[in-house]
Amino acid sequence: MRSEESGSEWLEALSGESRAMQLVRQRVCDFGPADATVLIGGETGTGKELAAHALHAASSRAGGPFVAVNCAALPRDLIESELFGSTRGAFTGASQTRPGLFDAARGGTLLLDEIGELPRSAQAKLLRVLEAGSYRPLGAIREKHAEARVLAATNRDLARMCASGEFRLDLYYRVAVLRIELPPLRERRADIPGLVRRFLARDSRAPRAVAPEAMARLLAHSWPGNVRELRSAVERTLLRASGAVIEAFELEASIETALPPSPPRPGSAESLRVLLEHRGRLAAAAAALGVSPRTLQRRLRAGGLSARTLRRELALPAGP
């Protein structure tokens, strides 16, 4: 059996003190013990599989297997046999009976990652499993009882796909019994310093601190690849970091090799830049932008930041 600490570790991996991440962790705790299907949404790199692991660890199936499959990587002509297994002679090349992923996840959890990539034919067969609780291996006569909890993850808008006919509406209702949405990193920038410290703590030889100028650069980036991109940038920086503190020039090349920035929320990136130029002084930055301090605070909150957070993390002086 997995220990109680294992569940705590998965929850800890979903780190962040932002309201959005607090809600994610609360929903994991609430939904974990249920045996219902959960749809986990979010952009690439936000931690959807981490959330799935945490749900599994918080469930009564924690002692069973956790099996994850990327639906986009399944060969279209082998999807049915990959999911449900096949008997000997079921198709050309099937020289022996082969268990499927539902068999491998028996007594545990099966994560169908990128479920929106399943073709309509496979969607129909998956719907039957979720509705009837049974499936028939390819070439078999008898059905098997499905004894795995199903979790689904996607970075696509399944509701819109239903409207366009790409995704079955009845399957959508089956997989979205419960929902968890992982927020993009650009909407919770206040969590970036804590995430960076967590990544640094994994390597005992790594620097223990980040210079304020370097942290400012991290906070200003839009992170289109989300937490995965941030982790990769930190890991690349560690390859060239030479001192006890990561400096801005050591970080810059790592961010430059990242993906092109995605469009930021209107006003948030510019507001951050001006606030940094004015050393965290809210009133001065608001005046330079031609807005009220309250409007500036609202723009910062849209990007998951506050003037107080910036002053604390970037060692800026307190002041109006």
Side-chain angles (χ1 to χ4, degrees):
M1 294 288 289
R2 285 187 173 88
S3 66
E4 186 174 320
E5 288 73 23
S6 297
S8 300
E9 288 171 6
W10 285 115
L11 270 182
E12 187 182 349
L14 295 168
S15 58
E17 296 307 313
S18 61
R19 186 184 298 271
M21 289 308 295
Q22 290 177 19
L23 178 59
V24 167
R25 291 194 295 272
Q26 184 59 56
R27 287 190 170 174
V28 166
C29 292
D30 291 343
F31 298 167
D35 215 33
T37 306
V38 181
L39 177 62
I40 307 168
E43 296 178 6
T44 297
T46 51
K48 296 186 292 296
E49 188 165 341
L50 282 177
H53 272 288
L55 285 165
H56 173 70
S59 74
S60 60
R61 298 176 178 269
F66 177 90
V67 178
V69 57
N70 186 333
C71 296
L74 293 175
R76 184 174 290 261
D77 56 343
L78 295 178
I79 289 178
E80 187 175 351
S81 62
E82 288 288 331
L83 290 176
F84 311 124
S86 59
T87 61
R88 179 179 179 180
F91 54 88
T92 302
S95 58
Q96 59 185 3
T97 297
R98 183 174 179 273
L101 292 169
F102 271 92
D103 295 307
R106 187 173 298 273
T109 301
L110 175 60
L111 170 63
L112 300 175
D113 198 7
E114 302 306 340
I115 191 173
E117 304 304 321
L118 282 178
R120 293 272 301 190
S121 57
Q123 292 175 28
K125 292 179 171 62
L126 177 59
L127 175 64
R128 171 162 175 76
V129 178
L130 296 178
E131 286 187 331
S134 60
Y135 60 94
R136 181 181 290 113
L138 194 63
I141 298 175
R142 296 182 178 178
E143 292 194 334
K144 287 185 174 182
H145 181 62
E147 296 181 5
R149 182 189 191 181
V150 175
L151 304 179
T154 184
N155 61 7
R156 302 185 66 182
D157 186 340
L158 292 188
R160 181 172 294 180
M161 291 179 68
C162 289
S164 67
E166 298 175 81
F167 199 82
R168 294 180 63 112
L169 185 61
D170 45 8
L171 178 58
Y172 173 76
Y173 289 136
R174 281 292 178 179
V175 298
V177 175
L178 300 172
R179 292 202 59 170
I180 294 177
E181 192 71 23
L182 275 296
L185 190 55
R186 64 182 175 275
E187 293 182 4
R188 57 181 188 105
R189 296 176 194 263
D191 290 337
I192 290 175
L195 287 166
V196 171
R197 286 190 286 268
R198 180 180 176 84
F199 298 149
L200 293 178
R202 292 177 177 176
D203 188 344
S204 60
R205 301 165 297 178
R208 291 302 182 190
V210 178
E213 295 80 7
M215 186 60 75
R217 183 70 180 88
L218 290 170
L219 290 169
H221 189 59
S222 60
W223 302 111
N226 295 293
V227 179
R228 183 180 297 146
E229 182 191 351
L230 174 63
R231 183 178 64 244
S232 296
V234 171
E235 290 172 351
R236 286 194 298 269
T237 301
L238 291 179
L239 295 176
R240 63 176 64 89
S242 56
V245 177
I246 293 178
E247 301 293 345
F249 75 90
E250 295 172 318
L251 178 72
E252 196 64 31
S254 297
I255 294 182
E256 286 176 356
T257 58
L259 294 171
S262 59
R265 280 177 173 263
S268 61
E270 176 68 6
S271 299
L272 174 58
R273 182 186 64 79
V274 174
L275 190 63
L276 291 173
E277 288 178 354
H278 287 81
R279 303 289 294 167
R281 293 189 292 272
L282 191 68
L289 287 166
V291 299
S292 68
R294 179 174 296 180
T295 297
L296 178 54
Q297 286 179 320
R298 186 171 64 250
R299 289 182 180 179
L300 291 170
R301 283 196 297 270
L305 283 171
S306 68
R308 180 178 299 177
T309 298
L310 288 173
R311 285 194 292 266
R312 182 185 70 241
E313 297 296 341
L314 306 185
L316 300 176

